[in-house]
Amino acid sequence: MRYGRADAVRRAGRAVRLDLSAAVGGLRRACAGPGRERNLAAQALKAALAAWLTWLIAGWWLHAPVAFVAPWVAVVLVESTVYRSIAHGLQQLGAITAGTVTATAAGLVLHSTAVAMAVVLPLALLLGHWRRLGDQGIYAATGALFVLTDGAVTVTTSAARIAASLFGAGVGIAVNALVRPPLYLRDTRAVLRDATEEAHDILHAVADGLACGRWDAEEAGAWHDRALRSHRLVDEARSAVEWSRESLRANVRRGAVPVPGKGYDDALAVLDYAAVHTAGVTRTVLEVASEDRAAPRPHPGLALSYARFLCRTARALRLYSHSRFDAAREDELRTEVTALRAALGTLRRDLARSATDDPDDLATYGTLLAQANRLTDRLLASSA
């Protein structure tokens, strides 16, 4: 028993040390330069500032009867984007007002807190599911509870509570909009490039394996797993683009950066194709490499030709990602895509010469060629 407790203490100690190390690392990255950690730190400081300002005015200066409501509302409305602060602020005010008014009316009529809660809370919780209130609907029940559990129910106190909520929302939105309003364009570019680099690295790894004649099932399985996970990176990139566009809405800094335009949508489309193409190629290679599958292996000359095509594809993908944000590299991309088209022509001729009447051969070669055609067509269309 003593040893079990000692192990539990050691595990808890290691967990605490890991958490502290992660916190220190995050703080170091926030101080080192722009990034997610610095954005989080800035938003936390802004939320604290909004709460302090509202309490300073409502509590210390005006001595409002329910001053605590103002900083409570302000701190939760310093959202990740200015647009979200405004939208959630309106929804939250609507929910708090509805819950407060309903609870006040019930408290004045029923003269019993227990009975009023039994009547009001189910109504407030149902109201919280109204789609127009979004995920702020829970504040209807919260507002009702504040009314019914904070002493005598009076119209004056309830009106002061709504006014404090309005004031807190205004301060929270103003702080988020005026003090370093959040922008995520830099993060979006980083996520897009991370997704492109992963596709580039996978294609290069497969190309190296094919060029060297390695048909190891375990290695091919690892390539395929990475290719499947690359879809998650594409989804993260798409979410980052949407996040960036939202962060520019109602943002006073929007003139300082370009709005994510068609280049971002084109990059996402190419990444989608790259993820599908990479997964298709790695799946075919895995099937060929697996000992329990009867899929034929391409002869070394054809495998080398396909490896060259994959290297060209990987390089074109990387250049495409860079050219979306650096116009100076457009000519380099066009040159590479022209070379990619030539490589595809060579691959087609090699596949045609290697084709036999064997259905398994046709299935393997046809799959490889179809994946190559789709990605090349997409790169050609996007770089035009």
Side-chain angles (χ1 to χ4, degrees), residues 22-240:
V24 171
L27 181 60
R28 189 180 296 118
R29 287 190 294 274
C31 296
R36 178 175 178 273
E37 288 79 9
R38 179 169 289 187
N39 287 335
L40 289 174
Q43 290 301 103
L45 290 173
K46 285 164 59 178
L49 173 63
W52 179 76
L53 284 175
T54 51
W55 176 255
L56 191 69
I57 296 171
W60 181 76
W61 184 30
L62 298 178
H63 299 288
V66 283
F68 73 93
V69 175
W72 171 66
V73 172
V75 76
V76 298
L77 285 183
V78 180
E79 295 265 9
S80 49
T81 67
V82 177
Y83 171 78
R84 195 159 294 201
S85 285
I86 296 172
H88 286 179
L90 293 173
Q91 290 174 330
Q92 190 179 125
L93 285 173
I96 290 174
T97 301
T100 301
V101 170
T102 304
T104 302
L108 292 174
V109 171
L110 298 174
H111 303 292
S112 169
T113 299
V115 175
M117 287 180 67
V119 172
V120 171
L121 285 181
L123 295 175
L125 289 169
L126 286 174
L127 178 64
H129 292 286
W130 188 27
R131 62 180 181 83
R132 291 191 181 278
L133 294 179
D135 57 3
Q136 304 300 304
I138 188 61
Y139 290 103
T142 304
L145 281 172
F146 279 163
V147 171
L148 297 174
T149 59
D150 190 29
V153 178
T154 66
V155 173
T156 302
T157 304
S158 295
R161 187 174 283 108
I162 293 172
S165 301
L166 181 61
F167 175 66
V171 173
I173 293 169
V175 168
N176 203 30
L178 300 176
V179 181
R180 196 185 179 271
L183 289 171
Y184 299 97
L185 191 61
R186 185 183 294 106
D187 295 342
T188 300
R189 292 179 178 179
V191 173
L192 282 169
R193 284 179 175 162
D194 286 347
T196 305
E197 286 298 318
E198 178 65 4
H200 170 276
D201 293 346
I202 295 171
L203 290 174
H204 249 300
V206 176
D208 290 344
L210 294 180
C212 297
R214 296 200 309 269
W215 294 97
D216 181 74
E218 185 175 347
E219 187 177 25
W223 293 337
H224 188 53
D225 288 341
R226 284 183 67 186
L228 293 177
R229 288 195 298 270
S230 69
H231 287 278
R232 176 180 53 81
L233 292 177
V234 177
D235 290 339
E236 289 178 4
R238 182 174 291 104
S239 175

Side-chain angles (χ1 to χ4, degrees), residues 196-375:
T196 305
E197 286 298 318
E198 178 65 4
H200 170 276
D201 293 346
I202 295 171
L203 290 174
H204 249 300
V206 176
D208 290 344
L210 294 180
C212 297
R214 296 200 309 269
W215 294 97
D216 181 74
E218 185 175 347
E219 187 177 25
W223 293 337
H224 188 53
D225 288 341
R226 284 183 67 186
L228 293 177
R229 288 195 298 270
S230 69
H231 287 278
R232 176 180 53 81
L233 292 177
V234 177
D235 290 339
E236 289 178 4
R238 182 174 291 104
S239 175
V241 171
E242 294 170 356
W243 203 255
S244 291
R245 287 174 174 155
E246 182 181 301
S247 75
L248 290 170
R249 300 175 70 178
N251 195 320
V252 296
R253 294 169 63 198
R254 64 175 297 150
V257 295
V259 178
K262 188 174 181 298
Y264 285 81
D265 294 326
D266 289 345
L268 286 172
V270 170
L271 281 174
D272 260 333
Y273 272 80
V276 172
H277 165 75
T278 305
V281 169
T282 54
R283 182 173 58 249
T284 302
V285 172
L286 176 60
E287 290 173 351
V288 172
S290 297
E291 295 179 358
D292 57 342
R293 299 295 298 268
R297 294 181 179 179
H299 63 74
L302 180 58
L304 183 60
S305 178
Y306 204 82
R308 292 195 188 104
F309 171 79
L310 290 180
C311 285
R312 285 288 185 187
T313 302
R315 177 167 171 74
L317 273 173
R318 173 180 278 173
L319 285 173
Y320 181 84
S321 173
H322 292 168
S323 70
R324 294 304 89 188
F325 315 113
D326 184 1
R329 306 196 72 169
E330 288 284 354
D331 291 340
E332 191 177 356
L333 173 64
R334 292 192 187 94
T335 301
E336 189 60 37
V337 169
T338 300
L340 178 63
R341 182 187 293 170
L344 178 62
T346 302
L347 178 63
R348 282 172 174 162
R349 290 190 293 273
D350 290 345
L351 284 170
R353 284 196 297 269
S354 302
T356 66
D357 293 333
D358 188 335
D360 290 331
D361 276 353
L362 292 174
T364 300
Y365 296 169
T367 300
L368 293 173
L369 183 58
Q371 298 293 349
N373 274 324
R374 291 190 187 108
L375 186 57

